[in-house]
Amino acid sequence: MARALPAATAAPLGWRATLGLEHLAMGGAVLALAVLVVLPLLSLVGGSLTAEGRLTLEHFRSAFGQRLYVQASLNSLVLGVATAVLSILIGFPMAWAVSRTDLPAKAFVHLTATLAYLTPPFLTAIAFVNLASPNAGLWNRLVRDTLGWSGLTVDIFTMPGLIGVTALHTFPFVYFLAASALTSVDASVEDAARILGAGRWRIAIRITAPLVAPAVLSGALLAFVNAIALFGSQAILGLPGRVFTLPTRIYTLFDYPPQYGLASALSLVFVALTVLALALQRAYLAKRSYVTLGGKGMRREPVALGRARWGVLAFCVAVFLVAIVAPYATLVAVSFSRSWGLQFWQNLTLAHYRFVLFEYDVTRRAILNSLILATLTATTAVLLGSVISWLDLRTRIVGRRWLDYASLVPLGLPGIVMAVALIQFWLRVPVPLYGTLAILLLAYTARFIPLGVRAANAALRQVDPSLEETARITGAGWLRTLRRVTLPLCRPGLVAGWLLVFVPAIQELSASILLFSAESITLAVAVYNLYETGYLEPVAALAIVNMVIIAVALALARRLGRGAAGGERVAVSQ
């Protein structure tokens, strides 16, 4: 009884404190989302509908009436659709082979998709410029000048070249979602088809593929959205061949004098393409049921491919060579060579690494800025995501669901659209943020807040609320319960969420290219600027530095996650 009394008196105080805290957290989260997302988007719409202080549709007439903007929209559409189809053709066979067959070296195939996803697409584009540019590309010089096979030359500065390079980054979306879906499909359906005489390939095409169509289409939708939003690869490969897309057209509108209104209208066209793709996907899936019969009771036997497994493995190895080996080997070779060419190994040097790391002030400042921005963005996104998820899952406060929905809005907004929205908003308020690290931090946080929210939501869902209630009943206050129970149990998920934000933030280019200044230049922008000025060897060295930073971050996060898991085991055992 002597121990029960404090608990009985602590509960009402905790209830009052929690009630006050709920409203405080709700107010802070609403304010944050308003500044990060809602007000900039309203400014974007307002900017597209006004000119010189009056309402007008002039910007939309230009966007839909001038041939260069219509062609840019069509090119973005072609790029997105073709990349999505190519991502399915690459990603789904690999997912099926890994999930449902006796393919050897499955870990290697999974590693291929993971590395392809982590590789910044603009670095892949730069690597393929060194390999397949019409005149100086190593592959073209080898087959044309040395072997005399002119028919095997490749021009990477074309729409097919842009589609191929973009798909090397987007096929993992289809792979990961399809592999997860294939693992959960009821095996009895395929067994029934097999008993009725269907062959393994017919079962794969007629039975398995339709059952996982929602996952495959979701992956294709993500591939489409990512493909049309990537500024770096479209600028590096498209502009030399005059293949303009919406991001590159919007970028040119910021040359002096800047045309903010037209850029806002084109940005809204960009958003409309994303919404249209989502609507088509939902309309297609609504036509029939994709329930997989929910069976988990039958043991699934892997499909025996026979000799065909070596052909499937050869396909996966080819993807690995093109998506991973070719770009990384090219960037490493270029970064160590004095001048790129067929005999590059005869003039190796470390001068380019010395230049970008110790001699060139811009690249040193860019590396530091990117590390600061990525760290702050990941921390802010996870903290804000944790607050929004806590309100959604642990309270009944009015409006919590709408807050969760609002946090997902940036998921469909390309980086360059977010940059235009922030410019429209912050140029109208008397706070001089344009060109500072602060506006880049706002842009990054707004772009990646959905990742922080989803990671925190998933981590919090895994914690049984009864554990927190037990701590409260035994006398622990809200803060102590959070510090001693909730956070330790959520830590692995929050660390994973932090990493999910950190990796894309440190390679972000689409928004940074419109928001940076000489003092706030970032690593990706420095790579792009050096590439534009023709410093290919320092660009390759800086690209390798970029990948080393990402690898170190992954290793630290993995170690921290293991430490958290170990700590939890110790806490549970005690």
Side-chain angles (χ1 to χ4, degrees), residues 1 16 19 64 89-90 110 128 136 139 156 183 234 257 263 279 325 372 385 389 395 416 478 484 498 507 519 541 546:
M1 291 297 292
R16 292 193 190 97
L19 182 62
F64 291 108
L89 294 177
I90 298 173
H110 191 74
F128 274 91
W139 169 260
I156 202 68
T183 304
Q234 294 176 32
V325 175
I372 292 172
S389 300
T395 74
I416 203 160
W478 176 86
R484 300 296 298 272
W498 191 92
Q507 50 185 258
E519 292 301 318
N546 190 345

PDB file of all heavy atoms in Angstrom, residues 1 16 19 64 89-90 110 128 136 139 156 183 234 257 263 279 325 372 385 389 395 416 478 484 498 507 519 541 546:
ATOM      1  N   MET A   1       0.825  -1.208   0.000  1.00  0.00           N
ATOM      2  CA  MET A   1       0.000   0.000   0.000  1.00  0.00           C
ATOM      3  C   MET A   1       0.853   1.250   0.000  1.00  0.00           C
ATOM      4  O   MET A   1       0.535   2.268  -0.570  1.00  0.00           O
ATOM      5  CB  MET A   1      -0.923  -0.011   1.223  1.00  0.00           C
ATOM      6  CG  MET A   1      -2.001  -1.050   1.174  1.00  0.00           C
ATOM      7  SD  MET A   1      -3.146  -0.779  -0.210  1.00  0.00           S
ATOM      8  CE  MET A   1      -3.915   0.728   0.337  1.00  0.00           C
ATOM      9  N   ARG A  16      -3.022  15.436 -16.672  1.00  0.00           N
ATOM     10  CA  ARG A  16      -3.075  16.867 -16.978  1.00  0.00           C
ATOM     11  C   ARG A  16      -1.873  17.293 -17.804  1.00  0.00           C
ATOM     12  O   ARG A  16      -1.989  18.049 -18.763  1.00  0.00           O
ATOM     13  CB  ARG A  16      -3.116  17.665 -15.676  1.00  0.00           C
ATOM     14  CG  ARG A  16      -4.393  17.514 -14.884  1.00  0.00           C
ATOM     15  CD  ARG A  16      -4.476  18.565 -13.784  1.00  0.00           C
ATOM     16  NE  ARG A  16      -5.579  18.285 -12.881  1.00  0.00           N
ATOM     17  CZ  ARG A  16      -5.435  17.649 -11.738  1.00  0.00           C
ATOM     18  NH1 ARG A  16      -4.242  17.229 -11.357  1.00  0.00           N
ATOM     19  NH2 ARG A  16      -6.479  17.417 -10.984  1.00  0.00           N
ATOM     20  N   LEU A  19      -2.284  15.997 -21.321  1.00  0.00           N
ATOM     21  CA  LEU A  19      -3.276  16.762 -22.072  1.00  0.00           C
ATOM     22  C   LEU A  19      -2.676  18.076 -22.554  1.00  0.00           C
ATOM     23  O   LEU A  19      -2.836  18.473 -23.692  1.00  0.00           O
ATOM     24  CB  LEU A  19      -4.496  17.014 -21.180  1.00  0.00           C
ATOM     25  CG  LEU A  19      -5.645  17.767 -21.856  1.00  0.00           C
ATOM     26  CD1 LEU A  19      -6.184  16.955 -23.017  1.00  0.00           C
ATOM     27  CD2 LEU A  19      -6.754  18.069 -20.859  1.00  0.00           C
ATOM     28  N   PHE A  64       1.034  26.075 -71.695  1.00  0.00           N
ATOM     29  CA  PHE A  64       0.329  25.161 -72.594  1.00  0.00           C
ATOM     30  C   PHE A  64       0.324  25.641 -74.049  1.00  0.00           C
ATOM     31  O   PHE A  64      -0.109  24.906 -74.931  1.00  0.00           O
ATOM     32  CB  PHE A  64      -1.123  24.982 -72.121  1.00  0.00           C
ATOM     33  CG  PHE A  64      -1.240  24.228 -70.835  1.00  0.00           C
ATOM     34  CD1 PHE A  64      -1.591  24.873 -69.668  1.00  0.00           C
ATOM     35  CD2 PHE A  64      -0.957  22.861 -70.778  1.00  0.00           C
ATOM     36  CE1 PHE A  64      -1.693  24.186 -68.464  1.00  0.00           C
ATOM     37  CE2 PHE A  64      -1.054  22.158 -69.588  1.00  0.00           C
ATOM     38  CZ  PHE A  64      -1.414  22.833 -68.420  1.00  0.00           C
ATOM     39  N   LEU A  89      10.624  -4.366 -66.396  1.00  0.00           N
ATOM     40  CA  LEU A  89      11.309  -5.426 -67.156  1.00  0.00           C
ATOM     41  C   LEU A  89      12.590  -5.880 -66.462  1.00  0.00           C
ATOM     42  O   LEU A  89      13.005  -7.040 -66.603  1.00  0.00           O
ATOM     43  CB  LEU A  89      11.620  -4.927 -68.572  1.00  0.00           C
ATOM     44  CG  LEU A  89      10.400  -4.642 -69.459  1.00  0.00           C
ATOM     45  CD1 LEU A  89      10.843  -4.091 -70.812  1.00  0.00           C
ATOM     46  CD2 LEU A  89       9.569  -5.899 -69.644  1.00  0.00           C
ATOM     47  N   ILE A  90      13.246  -4.971 -65.728  1.00  0.00           N
ATOM     48  CA  ILE A  90      14.474  -5.351 -65.019  1.00  0.00           C
ATOM     49  C   ILE A  90      14.153  -5.849 -63.610  1.00  0.00           C
ATOM     50  O   ILE A  90      14.640  -6.898 -63.170  1.00  0.00           O
ATOM     51  CB  ILE A  90      15.443  -4.151 -64.933  1.00  0.00           C
ATOM     52  CG1 ILE A  90      15.858  -3.686 -66.322  1.00  0.00           C
ATOM     53  CG2 ILE A  90      16.683  -4.524 -64.120  1.00  0.00           C
ATOM     54  CD1 ILE A  90      16.684  -2.408 -66.319  1.00  0.00           C
ATOM     55  N   HIS A 110      20.283  -9.343 -54.492  1.00  0.00           N
ATOM     56  CA  HIS A 110      19.712  -8.344 -53.590  1.00  0.00           C
ATOM     57  C   HIS A 110      20.688  -7.186 -53.391  1.00  0.00           C
ATOM     58  O   HIS A 110      20.286  -6.017 -53.343  1.00  0.00           O
ATOM     59  CB  HIS A 110      19.387  -8.998 -52.250  1.00  0.00           C
ATOM     60  CG  HIS A 110      18.566  -8.152 -51.343  1.00  0.00           C
ATOM     61  ND1 HIS A 110      17.227  -7.918 -51.544  1.00  0.00           N
ATOM     62  CD2 HIS A 110      18.907  -7.443 -50.236  1.00  0.00           C
ATOM     63  CE1 HIS A 110      16.778  -7.118 -50.602  1.00  0.00           C
ATOM     64  NE2 HIS A 110      17.776  -6.808 -49.792  1.00  0.00           N
ATOM     65  N   PHE A 128      28.523   7.527 -67.147  1.00  0.00           N
ATOM     66  CA  PHE A 128      28.182   7.097 -68.504  1.00  0.00           C
ATOM     67  C   PHE A 128      28.558   8.143 -69.554  1.00  0.00           C
ATOM     68  O   PHE A 128      28.731   7.796 -70.725  1.00  0.00           O
ATOM     69  CB  PHE A 128      26.703   6.720 -68.588  1.00  0.00           C
ATOM     70  CG  PHE A 128      26.442   5.301 -68.185  1.00  0.00           C
ATOM     71  CD1 PHE A 128      26.155   4.999 -66.867  1.00  0.00           C
ATOM     72  CD2 PHE A 128      26.548   4.264 -69.093  1.00  0.00           C
ATOM     73  CE1 PHE A 128      25.951   3.681 -66.466  1.00  0.00           C
ATOM     74  CE2 PHE A 128      26.347   2.945 -68.717  1.00  0.00           C
ATOM     75  CZ  PHE A 128      26.048   2.658 -67.386  1.00  0.00           C
ATOM     76  N   ALA A 136      34.283  11.440 -77.046  1.00  0.00           N
ATOM     77  CA  ALA A 136      35.347  11.127 -76.091  1.00  0.00           C
ATOM     78  C   ALA A 136      35.044   9.931 -75.205  1.00  0.00           C
ATOM     79  O   ALA A 136      35.894   9.547 -74.397  1.00  0.00           O
ATOM     80  CB  ALA A 136      35.610  12.351 -75.211  1.00  0.00           C
ATOM     81  N   TRP A 139      34.067   3.764 -74.301  1.00  0.00           N
ATOM     82  CA  TRP A 139      33.487   2.660 -75.070  1.00  0.00           C
ATOM     83  C   TRP A 139      33.468   2.986 -76.568  1.00  0.00           C
ATOM     84  O   TRP A 139      33.841   2.160 -77.407  1.00  0.00           O
ATOM     85  CB  TRP A 139      32.078   2.376 -74.562  1.00  0.00           C
ATOM     86  CG  TRP A 139      31.298   1.443 -75.454  1.00  0.00           C
ATOM     87  CD1 TRP A 139      30.356   1.775 -76.370  1.00  0.00           C
ATOM     88  CD2 TRP A 139      31.443   0.023 -75.530  1.00  0.00           C
ATOM     89  NE1 TRP A 139      29.882   0.673 -77.007  1.00  0.00           N
ATOM     90  CE2 TRP A 139      30.526  -0.434 -76.513  1.00  0.00           C
ATOM     91  CE3 TRP A 139      32.238  -0.909 -74.868  1.00  0.00           C
ATOM     92  CZ2 TRP A 139      30.387  -1.774 -76.842  1.00  0.00           C
ATOM     93  CZ3 TRP A 139      32.095  -2.252 -75.190  1.00  0.00           C
ATOM     94  CH2 TRP A 139      31.190  -2.666 -76.165  1.00  0.00           C
ATOM     95  N   ILE A 156      25.024   8.710 -75.664  1.00  0.00           N
ATOM     96  CA  ILE A 156      24.307   8.775 -74.392  1.00  0.00           C
ATOM     97  C   ILE A 156      23.475  10.040 -74.271  1.00  0.00           C
ATOM     98  O   ILE A 156      22.576  10.121 -73.432  1.00  0.00           O
ATOM     99  CB  ILE A 156      25.327   8.684 -73.217  1.00  0.00           C
ATOM    100  CG1 ILE A 156      24.647   8.207 -71.936  1.00  0.00           C
ATOM    101  CG2 ILE A 156      26.018  10.005 -72.981  1.00  0.00           C
ATOM    102  CD1 ILE A 156      24.169   6.802 -71.969  1.00  0.00           C
ATOM    103  N   THR A 183       6.728 -12.838 -51.707  1.00  0.00           N
ATOM    104  CA  THR A 183       6.959 -13.659 -50.524  1.00  0.00           C
ATOM    105  C   THR A 183       5.653 -13.986 -49.800  1.00  0.00           C
ATOM    106  O   THR A 183       5.529 -15.034 -49.162  1.00  0.00           O
ATOM    107  CB  THR A 183       7.916 -12.920 -49.564  1.00  0.00           C
ATOM    108  OG1 THR A 183       9.113 -12.596 -50.271  1.00  0.00           O
ATOM    109  CG2 THR A 183       8.278 -13.767 -48.363  1.00  0.00           C
ATOM    110  N   GLN A 234      18.943  14.468 -65.951  1.00  0.00           N
ATOM    111  CA  GLN A 234      18.302  15.106 -67.106  1.00  0.00           C
ATOM    112  C   GLN A 234      19.129  16.283 -67.627  1.00  0.00           C
ATOM    113  O   GLN A 234      19.184  16.527 -68.835  1.00  0.00           O
ATOM    114  CB  GLN A 234      16.898  15.563 -66.721  1.00  0.00           C
ATOM    115  CG  GLN A 234      15.950  14.402 -66.413  1.00  0.00           C
ATOM    116  CD  GLN A 234      14.595  14.862 -65.934  1.00  0.00           C
ATOM    117  OE1 GLN A 234      14.113  15.910 -66.328  1.00  0.00           O
ATOM    118  NE2 GLN A 234      13.971  14.076 -65.074  1.00  0.00           N
ATOM    119  N   PRO A 257      16.349  37.808 -66.764  1.00  0.00           N
ATOM    120  CA  PRO A 257      15.522  38.042 -65.574  1.00  0.00           C
ATOM    121  C   PRO A 257      14.714  36.800 -65.214  1.00  0.00           C
ATOM    122  O   PRO A 257      14.149  36.155 -66.108  1.00  0.00           O
ATOM    123  CB  PRO A 257      14.610  39.184 -66.024  1.00  0.00           C
ATOM    124  CG  PRO A 257      14.457  38.974 -67.488  1.00  0.00           C
ATOM    125  CD  PRO A 257      15.747  38.397 -67.979  1.00  0.00           C
ATOM    126  N   ALA A 263       7.593  29.733 -63.984  1.00  0.00           N
ATOM    127  CA  ALA A 263       8.179  28.582 -63.286  1.00  0.00           C
ATOM    128  C   ALA A 263       7.161  27.952 -62.344  1.00  0.00           C
ATOM    129  O   ALA A 263       7.090  26.714 -62.231  1.00  0.00           O
ATOM    130  CB  ALA A 263       9.416  29.031 -62.504  1.00  0.00           C
ATOM    131  N   ALA A 279      -3.644   8.562 -60.270  1.00  0.00           N
ATOM    132  CA  ALA A 279      -5.053   8.293 -60.583  1.00  0.00           C
ATOM    133  C   ALA A 279      -5.190   7.114 -61.541  1.00  0.00           C
ATOM    134  O   ALA A 279      -6.074   6.265 -61.374  1.00  0.00           O
ATOM    135  CB  ALA A 279      -5.683   9.552 -61.188  1.00  0.00           C
ATOM    136  N   VAL A 325      29.151  -2.004 -61.672  1.00  0.00           N
ATOM    137  CA  VAL A 325      30.577  -2.082 -62.026  1.00  0.00           C
ATOM    138  C   VAL A 325      30.974  -0.973 -63.000  1.00  0.00           C
ATOM    139  O   VAL A 325      31.978  -0.273 -62.790  1.00  0.00           O
ATOM    140  CB  VAL A 325      30.903  -3.476 -62.618  1.00  0.00           C
ATOM    141  CG1 VAL A 325      32.360  -3.510 -63.106  1.00  0.00           C
ATOM    142  CG2 VAL A 325      30.675  -4.548 -61.579  1.00  0.00           C
ATOM    143  N   ILE A 372      26.548  19.090 -42.691  1.00  0.00           N
ATOM    144  CA  ILE A 372      25.700  19.817 -41.729  1.00  0.00           C
ATOM    145  C   ILE A 372      24.230  19.686 -42.110  1.00  0.00           C
ATOM    146  O   ILE A 372      23.368  19.371 -41.273  1.00  0.00           O
ATOM    147  CB  ILE A 372      26.119  21.305 -41.679  1.00  0.00           C
ATOM    148  CG1 ILE A 372      27.514  21.440 -41.066  1.00  0.00           C
ATOM    149  CG2 ILE A 372      25.118  22.125 -40.874  1.00  0.00           C
ATOM    150  CD1 ILE A 372      28.081  22.850 -41.146  1.00  0.00           C
ATOM    151  N   GLY A 385       8.770  13.863 -37.226  1.00  0.00           N
ATOM    152  CA  GLY A 385       8.020  12.658 -37.548  1.00  0.00           C
ATOM    153  C   GLY A 385       7.587  11.910 -36.294  1.00  0.00           C
ATOM    154  O   GLY A 385       6.480  11.367 -36.235  1.00  0.00           O
ATOM    155  N   SER A 389       3.742  11.195 -35.305  1.00  0.00           N
ATOM    156  CA  SER A 389       3.342   9.789 -35.112  1.00  0.00           C
ATOM    157  C   SER A 389       2.819   9.561 -33.703  1.00  0.00           C
ATOM    158  O   SER A 389       1.861   8.806 -33.500  1.00  0.00           O
ATOM    159  CB  SER A 389       4.541   8.872 -35.392  1.00  0.00           C
ATOM    160  OG  SER A 389       4.988   9.041 -36.708  1.00  0.00           O
ATOM    161  N   THR A 395      -2.619   9.426 -29.002  1.00  0.00           N
ATOM    162  CA  THR A 395      -3.581  10.397 -28.485  1.00  0.00           C
ATOM    163  C   THR A 395      -4.872  10.313 -29.296  1.00  0.00           C
ATOM    164  O   THR A 395      -4.924   9.653 -30.342  1.00  0.00           O
ATOM    165  CB  THR A 395      -3.041  11.843 -28.561  1.00  0.00           C
ATOM    166  OG1 THR A 395      -3.068  12.283 -29.932  1.00  0.00           O
ATOM    167  CG2 THR A 395      -1.616  11.936 -28.041  1.00  0.00           C
ATOM    168  N   ILE A 416      12.572  20.207 -57.392  1.00  0.00           N
ATOM    169  CA  ILE A 416      12.623  21.512 -58.025  1.00  0.00           C
ATOM    170  C   ILE A 416      11.308  22.270 -57.824  1.00  0.00           C
ATOM    171  O   ILE A 416      11.297  23.506 -57.733  1.00  0.00           O
ATOM    172  CB  ILE A 416      12.962  21.364 -59.530  1.00  0.00           C
ATOM    173  CG1 ILE A 416      13.556  22.677 -60.052  1.00  0.00           C
ATOM    174  CG2 ILE A 416      11.775  20.922 -60.358  1.00  0.00           C
ATOM    175  CD1 ILE A 416      14.341  22.512 -61.326  1.00  0.00           C
ATOM    176  N   TRP A 478       5.411  11.084 -17.462  1.00  0.00           N
ATOM    177  CA  TRP A 478       5.402  10.958 -18.923  1.00  0.00           C
ATOM    178  C   TRP A 478       6.822  11.006 -19.490  1.00  0.00           C
ATOM    179  O   TRP A 478       7.189  10.200 -20.351  1.00  0.00           O
ATOM    180  CB  TRP A 478       4.573  12.085 -19.522  1.00  0.00           C
ATOM    181  CG  TRP A 478       4.596  12.073 -21.014  1.00  0.00           C
ATOM    182  CD1 TRP A 478       3.788  11.360 -21.828  1.00  0.00           C
ATOM    183  CD2 TRP A 478       5.511  12.774 -21.869  1.00  0.00           C
ATOM    184  NE1 TRP A 478       4.120  11.563 -23.135  1.00  0.00           N
ATOM    185  CE2 TRP A 478       5.176  12.436 -23.195  1.00  0.00           C
ATOM    186  CE3 TRP A 478       6.565  13.647 -21.636  1.00  0.00           C
ATOM    187  CZ2 TRP A 478       5.860  12.943 -24.282  1.00  0.00           C
ATOM    188  CZ3 TRP A 478       7.259  14.166 -22.720  1.00  0.00           C
ATOM    189  CH2 TRP A 478       6.901  13.807 -24.029  1.00  0.00           C
ATOM    190  N   ARG A 484      12.780   6.069 -20.652  1.00  0.00           N
ATOM    191  CA  ARG A 484      13.218   4.744 -20.206  1.00  0.00           C
ATOM    192  C   ARG A 484      12.508   3.603 -20.915  1.00  0.00           C
ATOM    193  O   ARG A 484      12.992   2.462 -20.874  1.00  0.00           O
ATOM    194  CB  ARG A 484      13.006   4.610 -18.693  1.00  0.00           C
ATOM    195  CG  ARG A 484      13.768   5.615 -17.859  1.00  0.00           C
ATOM    196  CD  ARG A 484      15.273   5.428 -18.021  1.00  0.00           C
ATOM    197  NE  ARG A 484      15.715   4.126 -17.562  1.00  0.00           N
ATOM    198  CZ  ARG A 484      16.073   3.865 -16.312  1.00  0.00           C
ATOM    199  NH1 ARG A 484      16.053   4.855 -15.426  1.00  0.00           N
ATOM    200  NH2 ARG A 484      16.464   2.665 -15.944  1.00  0.00           N
ATOM    201  N   TRP A 498      16.411   7.845 -39.607  1.00  0.00           N
ATOM    202  CA  TRP A 498      17.433   8.895 -39.727  1.00  0.00           C
ATOM    203  C   TRP A 498      18.315   8.618 -40.941  1.00  0.00           C
ATOM    204  O   TRP A 498      18.632   9.518 -41.720  1.00  0.00           O
ATOM    205  CB  TRP A 498      18.271   8.915 -38.449  1.00  0.00           C
ATOM    206  CG  TRP A 498      19.189  10.076 -38.298  1.00  0.00           C
ATOM    207  CD1 TRP A 498      18.922  11.247 -37.670  1.00  0.00           C
ATOM    208  CD2 TRP A 498      20.528  10.184 -38.792  1.00  0.00           C
ATOM    209  NE1 TRP A 498      20.006  12.078 -37.741  1.00  0.00           N
ATOM    210  CE2 TRP A 498      21.011  11.457 -38.424  1.00  0.00           C
ATOM    211  CE3 TRP A 498      21.369   9.333 -39.504  1.00  0.00           C
ATOM    212  CZ2 TRP A 498      22.284  11.904 -38.741  1.00  0.00           C
ATOM    213  CZ3 TRP A 498      22.639   9.774 -39.827  1.00  0.00           C
ATOM    214  CH2 TRP A 498      23.086  11.041 -39.450  1.00  0.00           C
ATOM    215  N   GLN A 507      22.895  13.747 -51.048  1.00  0.00           N
ATOM    216  CA  GLN A 507      23.076  13.736 -52.507  1.00  0.00           C
ATOM    217  C   GLN A 507      21.995  14.566 -53.212  1.00  0.00           C
ATOM    218  O   GLN A 507      21.833  14.455 -54.418  1.00  0.00           O
ATOM    219  CB  GLN A 507      23.072  12.301 -53.033  1.00  0.00           C
ATOM    220  CG  GLN A 507      21.911  11.467 -52.559  1.00  0.00           C
ATOM    221  CD  GLN A 507      21.998  10.015 -52.985  1.00  0.00           C
ATOM    222  OE1 GLN A 507      21.332   9.627 -53.917  1.00  0.00           O
ATOM    223  NE2 GLN A 507      22.784   9.209 -52.309  1.00  0.00           N
ATOM    224  N   GLU A 519      28.160  30.738 -50.540  1.00  0.00           N
ATOM    225  CA  GLU A 519      28.460  30.310 -49.177  1.00  0.00           C
ATOM    226  C   GLU A 519      27.727  29.038 -48.787  1.00  0.00           C
ATOM    227  O   GLU A 519      28.162  28.321 -47.900  1.00  0.00           O
ATOM    228  CB  GLU A 519      28.108  31.436 -48.194  1.00  0.00           C
ATOM    229  CG  GLU A 519      29.012  32.656 -48.310  1.00  0.00           C
ATOM    230  CD  GLU A 519      30.478  32.307 -48.075  1.00  0.00           C
ATOM    231  OE1 GLU A 519      30.741  31.528 -47.146  1.00  0.00           O
ATOM    232  OE2 GLU A 519      31.339  32.814 -48.828  1.00  0.00           O
ATOM    233  N   ALA A 541      36.630  12.424 -58.635  1.00  0.00           N
ATOM    234  CA  ALA A 541      37.174  12.311 -57.277  1.00  0.00           C
ATOM    235  C   ALA A 541      36.135  12.745 -56.244  1.00  0.00           C
ATOM    236  O   ALA A 541      35.957  12.088 -55.202  1.00  0.00           O
ATOM    237  CB  ALA A 541      38.432  13.179 -57.168  1.00  0.00           C
ATOM    238  N   ASN A 546      31.821  11.489 -52.175  1.00  0.00           N
ATOM    239  CA  ASN A 546      30.396  11.433 -51.853  1.00  0.00           C
ATOM    240  C   ASN A 546      29.979  10.024 -51.457  1.00  0.00           C
ATOM    241  O   ASN A 546      29.302   9.805 -50.443  1.00  0.00           O
ATOM    242  CB  ASN A 546      29.595  11.917 -53.074  1.00  0.00           C
ATOM    243  CG  ASN A 546      28.131  12.133 -52.752  1.00  0.00           C
ATOM    244  OD1 ASN A 546      27.641  11.685 -51.733  1.00  0.00           O
ATOM    245  ND2 ASN A 546      27.436  12.832 -53.614  1.00  0.00           N
TER     246      ASN A 546
END
